Amino acid sequence: GSEMCIRDSKKIGKKAFSDCKNLKVIVIKSTKLTSKNTDAKAFAGIKKDVVIQVPKKKLAAYRKLFAKKGLHKKVKVIKIK
């Protein structure tokens, strides 16, 4: 599909989204992601037009975390609608 929802995950592994060619939206509801449990190449291979939705209280933290983990600057990280 074009949307993926991650609920209570405590980890995002290497190239977790790389085979998802039609992915448009990633909804991350988990608030448990950290630098230690998110792989350095977790976002490798996703398209630049993907939108990642995250919990409002984690928006700034996740933007910084995902940027460190290889997320392209053009990918939008916004609060869950």
Side-chain angles (χ1 to χ4, degrees), residues 37-52:
N37 63 20
T38 304
D39 192 273
K41 293 190 176 13
F43 297 97
I46 68 168
K47 292 185 176 181
K48 295 173 194 154
D49 63 345
V50 169
V51 175
I52 301 177

Side-chain angles (χ1 to χ4, degrees), residues 4 6 17 23-28 43 46 50-53:
M4 178 182 288
I6 301 171
F17 308 104
L23 200 57
K24 297 278 186 224
V25 179
I26 300 171
V27 181
I28 300 177
F43 297 97
I46 68 168
V50 169
V51 175
I52 301 177
Q53 296 181 9

